[in-house]
Amino acid sequence: MNRGKRWSAAVVGLVATVVLASCALNEGNGEPGASGGAGATTLRIGTTTDVANFNPLQSLSKTDNWILNAMYPHLLRIDGNARKVPELAQKYEYQDGGKKAVFTLRDDFVWSDGKPVTSADVKYSAEMIMKHELGNVAAKLGMVESIDTPDDTTVTFDLERPYAPFAEGVGFWMAIVPKHVFEKAGDVSKFANDSEWVGAGAYILQSATPGQRYVMKRNDQYPYAPKGGAAVETVEYRVYPDVNTMQLALRNGDIDLMGTPVPASAVASFSGDQKIKLQEVGSLGFAHITYNVSNKHLAKQKVRQALSMVVDTQSIIETVLQGEAEPMVGPISPIFDEYDNTGLKPYPFDPAGARKLLEEAGYADENGDGKLDGLNLEMVCDQSNPNLTRVAQVVREDAAKAGVELTASCVERNTFLSRTKSGDYDIDVSQWAVFDNPMDQLRSTYLSSNPGGINYNLVKDDKLDDLIDAAAGTTEHEQLVTRVTEIDAYVHDQALLTPLYVEKIRFAYDGSKFTGFQPSPSDLLGMVTGFSLSQVKPVT
């Protein structure tokens, strides 16, 4: 079976705050990393956000997922190389020309109340998500016609049509909950699940004190733990008011790991601390510039190509990102190396060449003011992202060299999201957070008929639609890779977006106390997946 089928200065002012917070957090908790006997180690993780929703079928928050993903298994997980690998499912395959996705489950997952995890739990979880349209998984299950469970370890999803990324998408994103617990709640869309937790992941939540801490205990029956069980018995999330306070807590030994990535501006500050280690992980997202093709100017391929030629990506990485990023060429992140079309050449930074291309497209400077007549475009960005705010200013200045007048409109996040989703913009400077599958990404962003997608270009291109549909129905892996790289090349040639960079993600932890983390790509997963935490061991 082929792999597709298998698978800064503010610190001083914060000291008093940290001291007070640390006292409250440590009250009655013993010494950091204290051991009450063999295997009784505690790993303390810093966060700046409370859990908003304990129901894994509908939660979308980052901190929610840190805790819930460690407690509720998924069919598949993602490894450090961005490949889907087994978790609850030991394998999957497509049958009936791709219209059936069949998962074979492990038989050694057990809920913390002693009941086995079976195919009935998978079927129930999926059907409740579909019935109540819960979370982002509902859209991924939209093509499911029925779900069959012929035995306790087999789950078959019958699809209305073949769709290559179905198994990976649903397998990775869908949490599996205990049917015998959740069905007692009636309407699961209203089930708080905020006490007496029953899980089957690496760690089970024991207590939650909003604004202070969340304590999880080791699940001794988690099948992926090392022989003899996970070395870390207790995982304790501690809540801090901001990242700066959390950084100081790590330096002071009040926590052992920062759950959120280290800001690029703070990376150097950790380099002199011999006990602190920085772990770089891959990114499943990237920064980019998107063009609204419903605009009469941006509907022209040459205009989009010319705009790509006024973006000095390398300079942006060196100055704005302080070198903490990797350039991109096509729309697929280089982390997906087999899908990354390395034959593509980036558009050169060439404002003079861009102006020549625009003149070929019919634009001219009749009044001699240095600006191409009528080519005035608005560029929107999210003002909460300081990197992209600076990028917008840099691009605006370089575009002027080509005779293009750009207005940078950086607005508060909700306004930005509303405008981009409604198409109320010309050019959008933004950053995708998590794309775990290239085919899903291309279908969501460029297929004109995709309901609920993120086709912010508003592109309606019959050839592109045909390419996407052909690839989406291809379940033979090597052929799928070929077709995805063809789409990659077409999107690049059409310049539907200008990729900017993949930002480096680094996590800081106390390497003098702990080792063995198995990080996954993205700031969403990072160091704190259940699998990673179960592999951690104290430094001896």
Side-chain angles (χ1 to χ4, degrees):
M1 189 178 296
N2 62 42
R3 190 172 73 212
K5 292 183 178 179
R6 288 196 304 270
W7 331 80
S8 339
V11 169
V12 174
L14 292 169
V15 170
T17 302
V18 174
V19 169
L20 290 173
S22 298
C23 290
L25 287 168
N26 285 315
E27 185 177 353
N29 193 46
E31 292 300 315
S35 174
T41 303
T42 296
L43 175 70
R44 300 150 309 159
I45 305 173
T47 179
T48 60
T49 312
D50 274 302
V51 175
N53 191 334
F54 292 98
N55 188 330
L57 300 183
Q58 57 186 0
S59 174
L60 294 174
S61 164
K62 180 186 297 182
T63 302
D64 294 2
N65 278 285
W66 288 349
I67 291 176
L68 299 178
N69 285 355
M71 188 158 49
Y72 298 99
H74 293 226
L75 292 166
L76 307 174
R77 67 178 181 85
I78 194 168
D79 69 10
N81 296 314
R83 297 223 178 9
K84 303 299 177 10
V85 296
E87 189 174 19
L88 175 58
Q90 59 176 304
K91 66 178 182 179
Y92 74 85
E93 63 181 351
Y94 287 105
Q95 298 176 357
D96 191 19
K99 293 187 67 176
K100 292 181 181 291
V102 184
F103 290 89
T104 302
L105 311 183
R106 295 179 61 127
D107 61 3
D108 53 358
F109 267 82
V110 180
W111 296 111
S112 53
D113 63 0
K115 296 183 181 296
V117 181
T118 71
S119 58
D121 297 307
V122 178
K123 176 181 169 74
Y124 172 80
S125 300
E127 289 182 339
M128 291 302 99
I129 291 171
M130 291 189 292
K131 177 180 178 179
H132 299 285
E133 299 182 345
L134 302 177
N136 66 334
V137 181
K140 298 181 183 298
L141 291 167
M143 63 184 66
V144 173
E145 292 186 330
S146 63
I147 304 173
D148 299 316
T149 53
D151 55 56
D152 284 349
T153 58
T154 305
V155 184
T156 299
F157 291 86
D158 293 293
L159 312 179
E160 61 184 29
R161 64 184 181 278
Y163 184 50
F166 174 81
E168 285 199 359
V170 170
F172 172 64
W173 286 101
M174 185 174 70
I176 309 304
V177 301
K179 177 183 177 181
H180 64 282
V181 174
F182 275 59
E183 67 181 353
K184 293 178 181 178
D187 184 349
V188 297
S189 68
K190 300 177 181 178
F191 181 36
N193 190 38
D194 55 1
S195 64
E196 299 180 359
W197 296 277
V198 175
Y203 290 86
I204 311 299
L205 189 62
Q206 299 295 305
S207 65
T209 308
Q212 295 187 44
R213 73 179 85 218
Y214 297 82
V215 179
M216 308 187 78
K217 292 294 183 181
R218 176 182 61 205
N219 176 10
D220 290 329
Q221 300 186 85
Y222 179 63
Y224 289 105
K227 186 176 181 180
V232 173
E233 180 186 62
T234 304
V235 172
E236 180 182 320
Y237 281 90
R238 297 187 171 189
V239 185
Y240 290 91
D242 52 60
V243 174
N244 286 332
T245 312
M246 184 167 36
Q247 291 181 66
L248 190 55
L250 178 62
R251 294 183 190 280
N252 290 344
D254 296 322
I255 58 174
D256 309 303
L257 166 69
M258 286 175 57
T260 55
V262 179
S265 60
V267 169
S269 69
F270 279 116
S271 61
D273 192 328
Q274 294 187 352
K275 74 175 183 179
I276 304 299
K277 289 193 175 182
L278 294 176
Q279 174 74 53
E280 183 175 341
V281 305
S283 174
L284 297 176
F286 58 92
H288 60 96
I289 298 175
T290 292
Y291 306 106
N292 185 343
V293 300
S294 68
N295 178 285
K296 66 179 181 179
H297 303 294
L298 298 172
K300 302 174 184 178
Q301 181 186 13
K302 286 187 176 181
V303 173
R304 300 193 300 269
Q305 290 175 331
L307 289 170
S308 293
M309 294 168 66
V310 301
V311 180
D312 190 348
T313 303
Q314 196 57 51
S315 177
I316 287 171
I317 291 174
E318 293 172 359
T319 58
V320 178
L321 277 296
Q322 302 175 25
E324 294 293 307
E326 178 182 359
M328 280 183 63
V329 179
I332 303 299
S333 171
I335 196 171
F336 299 107
D337 52 357
E338 64 179 335
Y339 293 96
D340 184 24
N341 193 335
T342 56
L344 300 182
K345 294 183 179 181
Y347 286 95
F349 175 61
D350 184 3
R355 185 178 183 115
K356 182 178 179 181
L357 197 60
L358 291 168
E359 289 170 347
E360 291 176 4
Y363 294 91
D365 177 13
E366 298 291 352
N367 60 11
D369 65 354
K371 301 176 184 178
L372 295 173
D373 301 336
L375 196 53
N376 308 312
L377 299 166
E378 182 188 25
M379 182 168 48
V380 300
C381 71
D382 175 7
Q383 68 181 15
S384 70
N385 188 320
N387 290 337
L388 294 183
T389 299
R390 292 182 61 193
V391 167
Q393 295 298 330
V394 171
V395 173
R396 179 185 64 82
E397 293 168 4
D398 287 337
K401 301 173 185 177
V404 180
E405 185 177 3
L406 297 181
T407 301
S409 299
C410 292
V411 296
E412 62 90 21
R413 181 165 179 77
N414 288 334
T415 301
F416 169 77
L417 293 174
S418 175
R419 292 190 61 182
T420 52
K421 290 178 180 180
S422 65
D424 180 24
Y425 75 97
D426 300 328
I427 301 173
D428 155 24
V429 184
S430 59
Q431 185 160 340
W432 295 123
V434 176
F435 279 128
D436 69 289
N437 183 288
M439 186 66 250
D440 256 347
Q441 171 193 335
L442 294 172
R443 186 173 183 270
S444 294
T445 49
Y446 299 118
L447 185 65
S448 63
S449 62
N450 185 27
I454 46 178
N455 181 359
Y456 296 159
N457 286 100
L458 302 180
V459 61
K460 295 180 181 179
D461 184 322
D462 291 341
K463 181 177 180 179
L464 183 53
D465 282 350
D466 290 343
L467 287 171
I468 293 172
D469 284 336
T474 303
T475 55
E476 201 288 315
H477 185 69
E478 297 305 321
Q479 188 178 8
L480 173 63
V481 170
T482 298
R483 288 182 169 175
V484 167
T485 55
E486 289 174 354
I487 300 170
D488 196 354
Y490 186 79
V491 170
H492 178 65
D493 180 62
Q494 290 292 311
L496 293 175
L497 86 166
T498 301
L500 293 172
Y501 53 78
V502 178
E503 194 167 353
K504 292 180 181 179
I505 301 175
R506 288 188 173 92
F507 292 88
Y509 67 98
D510 191 335
S512 70
K513 294 180 180 178
F514 292 99
T515 187
F517 293 95
Q518 298 291 315
S520 294
S522 88
D523 61 339
L524 173 67
L525 302 170
M527 309 283 276
V528 297
T529 65
F531 177 82
S532 176
L533 296 175
S534 73
Q535 309 303 305
V536 175
K537 54 188 178 182
V539 173
T540 55

